[in-house]
Protein backbone atom coordinates (compact mmCIF):
# COMPACT_ATOMS: atom_id res chain seq x y z
CA UNK A 1 0.00 0.00 0.00
CA UNK A 2 1.46 3.38 -0.98
CA UNK A 3 0.89 6.62 0.85
CA UNK A 4 -0.64 9.53 -1.05
CA UNK A 5 0.35 13.13 -0.42
CA UNK A 6 -1.40 16.09 -2.04
CA UNK A 7 0.43 19.36 -2.60
CA UNK A 8 -1.59 22.52 -3.12
CA UNK A 9 -0.31 25.82 -4.48
CA UNK A 10 -1.56 28.96 -6.18
CA UNK A 11 0.32 28.00 -9.32
CA UNK A 12 3.78 26.75 -10.17
CA UNK A 13 5.83 28.09 -7.22
CA UNK A 14 4.83 25.06 -5.16
CA UNK A 15 6.81 22.92 -7.58
CA UNK A 16 9.88 24.04 -5.58
CA UNK A 17 8.37 22.11 -2.66
CA UNK A 18 7.23 19.23 -4.89
CA UNK A 19 10.77 18.93 -6.23
CA UNK A 20 12.16 18.58 -2.71
CA UNK A 21 9.55 15.99 -1.73
CA UNK A 22 10.08 14.11 -4.98
CA UNK A 23 13.65 13.48 -3.82
CA UNK A 24 12.97 12.97 -0.12
CA UNK A 25 9.95 10.67 -0.51
CA UNK A 26 10.56 8.62 -3.66
CA UNK A 27 8.16 5.86 -2.69
CA UNK A 28 5.18 8.10 -1.93
CA UNK A 29 2.48 8.93 -4.51
CA UNK A 30 2.35 12.70 -5.00
CA UNK A 31 -0.57 14.63 -6.48
CA UNK A 32 0.18 18.28 -7.21
CA UNK A 33 -2.51 20.89 -7.73
CA UNK A 34 -1.61 24.39 -8.92
CA UNK A 35 -4.47 26.87 -9.13
CA UNK A 36 -3.08 28.66 -12.19
CA UNK A 37 -6.59 29.84 -13.15
CA UNK A 38 -6.57 32.15 -10.10
CA UNK A 39 -2.84 32.88 -9.96
CA UNK A 40 -1.49 35.07 -8.42
CA UNK A 41 -3.11 34.70 -5.01
CA UNK A 42 -0.84 37.49 -3.81
CA UNK A 43 -3.01 40.21 -5.34
CA UNK A 44 -6.39 38.73 -4.32
CA UNK A 45 -8.64 39.03 -1.30
CA UNK A 46 -8.06 36.65 1.58
CA UNK A 47 -11.69 35.45 1.43
CA UNK A 48 -11.36 34.42 -2.19
CA UNK A 49 -8.00 32.73 -1.55
CA UNK A 50 -9.35 30.81 1.45
CA UNK A 51 -12.31 29.58 -0.63
CA UNK A 52 -10.00 28.33 -3.39
CA UNK A 53 -7.78 26.60 -0.83
CA UNK A 54 -10.87 24.84 0.57
CA UNK A 55 -11.81 23.68 -2.92
CA UNK A 56 -8.24 22.56 -3.63
CA UNK A 57 -8.12 20.59 -0.38
CA UNK A 58 -11.40 18.89 -1.41
CA UNK A 59 -9.99 18.06 -4.84
CA UNK A 60 -6.90 16.40 -3.34
CA UNK A 61 -8.90 14.62 -0.65
CA UNK A 62 -11.25 13.18 -3.29
CA UNK A 63 -8.19 11.73 -5.02
CA UNK A 64 -7.14 9.92 -1.89
CA UNK A 65 -4.61 12.30 -0.33
CA UNK A 66 -3.94 11.27 3.27
CA UNK A 67 -1.87 14.37 3.95
CA UNK A 68 -2.29 17.76 2.34
CA UNK A 69 0.63 20.13 1.99
CA UNK A 70 -0.28 23.80 1.62
CA UNK A 71 2.94 24.77 -0.14
CA UNK A 72 1.76 28.33 -0.76
CA UNK A 73 2.47 30.80 2.05
CA UNK A 74 -0.21 33.16 0.76
CA UNK A 75 -2.78 30.36 0.59
CA UNK A 76 -1.79 29.12 4.05
CA UNK A 77 -2.04 32.60 5.59
CA UNK A 78 -5.51 33.19 4.12
CA UNK A 79 -6.73 29.71 5.05
CA UNK A 80 -5.51 30.04 8.65
CA UNK A 81 -7.07 33.50 8.87
CA UNK A 82 -10.44 32.10 7.87
CA UNK A 83 -10.36 29.54 10.61
CA UNK A 84 -8.69 26.85 8.54
CA UNK A 85 -12.03 25.03 8.33
CA UNK A 86 -11.64 21.44 9.49
CA UNK A 87 -10.60 19.56 6.35
CA UNK A 88 -10.88 16.09 7.98
CA UNK A 89 -7.47 15.28 6.58
CA UNK A 90 -4.14 16.29 8.14
CA UNK A 91 -2.63 19.46 6.73
CA UNK A 92 0.95 20.73 6.81
CA UNK A 93 0.81 24.43 5.96
CA UNK A 94 3.67 26.72 5.01
CA UNK A 95 2.96 29.40 7.63
CA UNK A 96 2.94 27.02 10.60
CA UNK A 97 6.08 25.31 9.26
CA UNK A 98 7.92 28.64 9.07
CA UNK A 99 6.80 29.67 12.55
CA UNK A 100 7.82 26.30 13.99
CA UNK A 101 11.24 26.64 12.37
CA UNK A 102 11.76 30.17 13.73
CA UNK A 103 11.01 28.87 17.23
CA UNK A 104 13.95 26.49 17.04
CA UNK A 105 16.48 29.14 15.99
CA UNK A 106 18.88 30.76 18.42
CA UNK A 107 19.56 34.52 18.29
CA UNK A 108 16.23 35.30 16.68
CA UNK A 109 15.15 38.68 18.05
CA UNK A 110 14.64 41.00 15.09
CA UNK A 111 12.89 39.21 12.31
CA UNK A 112 12.11 40.52 8.85
CA UNK A 113 9.37 38.90 6.80
CA UNK A 114 8.80 39.45 3.11
CA UNK A 115 5.94 37.99 1.17
CA UNK A 116 3.17 38.71 -1.30
CA UNK A 117 0.82 41.64 -0.57
CA UNK A 118 -2.03 39.27 0.42
CA UNK A 119 0.19 37.22 2.74
CA UNK A 120 1.59 40.32 4.44
CA UNK A 121 -1.86 41.84 4.73
CA UNK A 122 -3.06 38.90 6.83
CA UNK A 123 -0.21 39.52 9.29
CA UNK A 124 -0.27 35.77 10.00
CA UNK A 125 3.48 35.18 10.13
CA UNK A 126 4.20 38.18 12.36
CA UNK A 127 1.30 37.42 14.68
CA UNK A 128 2.19 33.77 15.18
CA UNK A 129 5.90 34.47 15.65
CA UNK A 130 5.27 37.12 18.34
CA UNK A 131 2.62 34.94 19.98
CA UNK A 132 5.23 32.35 20.74
CA UNK A 133 7.81 34.93 21.84
CA UNK A 134 6.46 38.39 22.67
CA UNK A 135 10.04 39.71 23.02
CA UNK A 136 10.65 39.21 19.33
CA UNK A 137 10.16 42.13 16.97
CA UNK A 138 8.81 41.34 13.52
CA UNK A 139 8.83 43.67 10.51
CA UNK A 140 6.69 42.53 7.58
CA UNK A 141 6.95 43.93 4.06
CA UNK A 142 5.20 43.09 0.81
CA UNK A 143 7.30 42.47 -2.30
CA UNK A 144 4.75 42.53 -5.15
CA UNK A 145 7.23 42.48 -8.04
CA UNK A 146 9.25 39.48 -6.92
CA UNK A 147 6.95 36.66 -8.05
CA UNK A 148 6.59 37.96 -11.66
CA UNK A 149 10.30 38.69 -11.77
CA UNK A 150 11.15 35.13 -10.73
CA UNK A 151 8.65 33.61 -13.14
CA UNK A 152 10.08 35.73 -15.96
CA UNK A 153 13.46 34.30 -15.02
CA UNK A 154 15.47 37.48 -15.49
CA UNK A 155 17.39 37.01 -12.31
CA UNK A 156 20.83 37.74 -13.68
CA UNK A 157 19.81 41.21 -14.85
CA UNK A 158 20.75 44.41 -12.98
CA UNK A 159 17.05 45.25 -12.55
CA UNK A 160 16.51 42.01 -10.62
CA UNK A 161 19.30 42.90 -8.22
CA UNK A 162 17.88 46.41 -7.83
CA UNK A 163 14.37 45.16 -7.07
CA UNK A 164 15.60 42.66 -4.47
CA UNK A 165 17.80 45.35 -2.93
CA UNK A 166 14.89 47.81 -2.79
CA UNK A 167 12.60 45.34 -1.03
CA UNK A 168 15.23 44.33 1.50
CA UNK A 169 16.43 47.87 2.22
CA UNK A 170 13.96 48.67 5.07
CA UNK A 171 14.87 45.38 6.73
CA UNK A 172 18.59 45.93 6.31
CA UNK A 173 18.25 49.36 7.93
CA UNK A 174 16.62 47.69 10.93
CA UNK A 175 19.54 45.27 11.19
CA UNK A 176 17.37 42.17 11.36
CA UNK A 177 19.07 38.97 12.49
CA UNK A 178 16.65 36.67 10.60
CA UNK A 179 14.85 36.98 7.26
CA UNK A 180 11.78 34.81 6.76
CA UNK A 181 11.22 34.29 3.04
CA UNK A 182 7.45 34.14 3.05
CA UNK A 183 6.77 32.81 -0.45
CA UNK A 184 7.82 29.58 -2.11
CA UNK A 185 9.09 31.41 -5.20
CA UNK A 186 11.77 33.22 -3.22
CA UNK A 187 13.98 30.17 -2.85
CA UNK A 188 14.95 30.88 -6.47
CA UNK A 189 16.60 34.16 -5.34
CA UNK A 190 17.87 32.98 -1.98
CA UNK A 191 21.54 33.61 -2.73
CA UNK A 192 20.83 37.04 -4.16
CA UNK A 193 18.77 37.91 -1.09
CA UNK A 194 21.52 36.70 1.20
CA UNK A 195 24.04 38.92 -0.57
CA UNK A 196 21.75 41.94 -0.37
CA UNK A 197 20.65 41.56 3.25
CA UNK A 198 24.13 40.59 4.45
CA UNK A 199 25.72 37.30 5.39
CA UNK A 200 25.15 37.85 9.12
CA UNK A 201 21.39 37.59 8.66
CA UNK A 202 19.98 34.08 8.79
CA UNK A 203 17.56 33.17 5.98
CA UNK A 204 14.60 30.89 6.55
CA UNK A 205 13.00 29.60 3.37
CA UNK A 206 9.64 27.90 3.25
CA UNK A 207 10.69 25.17 0.84
CA UNK A 208 13.05 23.34 3.18
CA UNK A 209 10.89 24.09 6.24
CA UNK A 210 7.74 22.67 4.63
CA UNK A 211 9.66 19.64 3.35
CA UNK A 212 11.05 19.00 6.85
CA UNK A 213 7.58 19.31 8.40
CA UNK A 214 6.17 16.86 5.86
CA UNK A 215 8.96 14.34 6.47
CA UNK A 216 8.45 14.70 10.24
CA UNK A 217 4.74 14.00 9.81
CA UNK A 218 5.37 11.05 7.51
CA UNK A 219 7.87 9.49 9.94
CA UNK A 220 5.47 9.85 12.85
CA UNK A 221 2.12 9.03 11.25
CA UNK A 222 2.53 7.33 7.90
CA UNK A 223 4.65 4.21 8.40
CA UNK A 224 3.39 2.82 5.08
CA UNK A 225 5.14 5.75 3.35
CA UNK A 226 8.54 4.47 4.37
CA UNK A 227 8.90 1.95 1.54
CA UNK A 228 12.43 2.37 0.21
CA UNK A 229 13.34 3.13 -3.37
CA UNK A 230 11.53 4.96 -6.11
CA UNK A 231 8.23 3.99 -7.63
CA UNK A 232 5.80 6.53 -6.25
CA UNK A 233 3.57 8.07 -8.92
CA UNK A 234 3.53 11.81 -9.65
CA UNK A 235 0.60 13.66 -11.17
CA UNK A 236 0.61 17.40 -11.78
CA UNK A 237 -2.76 19.13 -12.13
CA UNK A 238 -3.26 22.77 -13.06
CA UNK A 239 -6.56 24.64 -13.20
CA UNK A 240 -5.45 26.44 -16.36
CA UNK A 241 -2.87 25.54 -18.98
CA UNK A 242 -1.28 28.56 -20.61
CA UNK A 243 1.64 28.71 -23.06
CA UNK A 244 4.14 29.60 -20.36
CA UNK A 245 3.47 26.82 -17.85
CA UNK A 246 5.96 24.39 -19.38
CA UNK A 247 8.97 26.68 -19.12
CA UNK A 248 8.03 28.15 -15.73
CA UNK A 249 7.38 24.65 -14.41
CA UNK A 250 10.80 23.56 -15.63
CA UNK A 251 12.42 26.52 -13.84
CA UNK A 252 10.73 25.65 -10.57
CA UNK A 253 11.10 21.87 -10.74
CA UNK A 254 14.33 21.50 -12.67
CA UNK A 255 12.97 19.31 -15.45
CA UNK A 256 10.05 19.08 -17.86
CA UNK A 257 6.77 17.95 -16.38
CA UNK A 258 3.51 16.87 -17.96
CA UNK A 259 0.55 18.88 -16.68
CA UNK A 260 -3.11 17.86 -16.69
CA UNK A 261 -5.86 20.43 -16.77
CA UNK A 262 -8.49 20.12 -14.06
CA UNK A 263 -11.46 22.00 -12.61
CA UNK A 264 -12.10 22.88 -9.00
N1 LIG B 1 4.09 31.24 -4.33
C1 LIG B 1 3.06 31.81 -3.54
C2 LIG B 1 3.40 31.80 -2.05
O1 LIG B 1 4.13 30.96 -1.58
C3 LIG B 1 2.71 33.21 -3.98
C4 LIG B 1 2.44 33.42 -5.45
C5 LIG B 1 1.08 34.04 -5.69
O2 LIG B 1 0.94 35.26 -5.56
O3 LIG B 1 0.15 33.28 -5.96
O4 LIG B 1 2.92 32.62 -1.31
Amino acid sequence: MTAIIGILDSGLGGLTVARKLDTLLPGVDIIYLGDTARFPYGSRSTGMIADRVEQGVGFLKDRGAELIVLACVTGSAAWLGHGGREPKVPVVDAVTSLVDRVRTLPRCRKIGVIGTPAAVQTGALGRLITQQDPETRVYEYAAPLLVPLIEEGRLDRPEARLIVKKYLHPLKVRQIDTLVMGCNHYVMVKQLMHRKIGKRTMLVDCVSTVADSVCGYVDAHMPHAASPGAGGSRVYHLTDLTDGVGSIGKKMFGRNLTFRRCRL
Side-chain angles (χ1 to χ4, degrees), residues 9-10 13-14 39-43 71-75 116 119 147 182-185 206:
D9 188 63
S10 61
F39 180 85
Y41 281 2
S43 57
C72 180
V73 180
T74 311
T116 66
V147 166
C183 172
N184 54 33
H185 279 77
C206 69

Side-chain angles (χ1 to χ4, degrees), residues 187-229:
V187 74
M188 308 290 287
V189 287
K190 190 172 182 179
Q191 285 177 354
L192 178 57
M193 282 191 179
H194 216 169
R195 280 205 303 279
K196 295 297 177 199
I197 196 72
K199 292 288 176 194
R200 292 163 73 155
T201 300
M202 189 166 9
L203 264 55
V204 182
D205 79 75
C206 69
V207 175
S208 52
T209 51
V210 168
D212 288 349
S213 300
V214 171
C215 290
Y217 183 91
V218 165
D219 284 349
H221 304 285
M222 296 170 82
H224 54 302
S227 60

Side-chain angles (χ1 to χ4, degrees), residues 28-62:
V28 167
D29 289 346
I30 294 178
I31 310 170
Y32 182 90
L33 171 60
D35 191 9
T36 43
R38 293 289 187 279
F39 180 85
Y41 281 2
S43 57
R44 298 189 185 269
S45 70
T46 48
M48 181 262 156
I49 301 168
D51 284 348
R52 291 296 281 192
V53 169
E54 289 289 322
Q55 290 166 33
V57 167
F59 176 95
L60 293 169
K61 216 169 68 174
D62 289 350

Side-chain angles (χ1 to χ4, degrees), residues 28-231:
V28 167
D29 289 346
I30 294 178
I31 310 170
Y32 182 90
L33 171 60
D35 191 9
T36 43
R38 293 289 187 279
F39 180 85
Y41 281 2
S43 57
R44 298 189 185 269
S45 70
T46 48
M48 181 262 156
I49 301 168
D51 284 348
R52 291 296 281 192
V53 169
E54 289 289 322
Q55 290 166 33
V57 167
F59 176 95
L60 293 169
K61 216 169 68 174
D62 289 350
R63 278 151 190 80
E66 299 150 72
L67 171 67
I68 299 212
V69 182
L70 297 188
C72 180
V73 180
T74 311
S76 302
W79 181 74
L80 289 170
H82 278 67
R85 278 159 270 173
E86 187 51 63
K88 295 193 178 68
V89 63
V91 172
V92 167
D93 76 86
V95 167
T96 307
S97 298
L98 283 166
V99 174
D100 287 348
R101 171 61 55 85
V102 166
R103 186 176 34 214
T104 65
L105 299 174
R107 291 188 306 103
C108 230
R109 283 283 166 267
K110 281 167 104 178
I111 301 179
V113 173
I114 54 165
T116 66
V120 168
Q121 202 190 3
T122 67
L125 277 163
R127 193 169 51 251
L128 293 171
I129 292 170
T130 45
Q131 249 170 36
Q132 69 185 13
D133 182 358
E135 301 285 294
T136 307
R137 271 172 289 163
V138 181
Y139 309 100
E140 288 191 79
Y141 286 94
L145 291 178
L146 275 188
V147 166
L149 183 82
I150 292 165
E151 294 217 339
E152 281 295 313
R154 292 157 192 265
L155 303 175
D156 51 345
R157 304 274 182 90
E159 57 267 30
R161 293 194 289 274
L162 267 176
I163 290 170
V164 171
K165 187 175 171 189
K166 175 189 172 299
Y167 283 136
L168 294 181
H169 179 71
L171 296 170
K172 196 173 166 100
V173 167
R174 291 178 189 276
Q175 298 186 313
I176 55 165
D177 49 50
T178 309
L179 174 66
V180 174
M181 300 161 70
C183 172
N184 54 33
H185 279 77
Y186 299 171
V187 74
M188 308 290 287
V189 287
K190 190 172 182 179
Q191 285 177 354
L192 178 57
M193 282 191 179
H194 216 169
R195 280 205 303 279
K196 295 297 177 199
I197 196 72
K199 292 288 176 194
R200 292 163 73 155
T201 300
M202 189 166 9
L203 264 55
V204 182
D205 79 75
C206 69
V207 175
S208 52
T209 51
V210 168
D212 288 349
S213 300
V214 171
C215 290
Y217 183 91
V218 165
D219 284 349
H221 304 285
M222 296 170 82
H224 54 302
S227 60

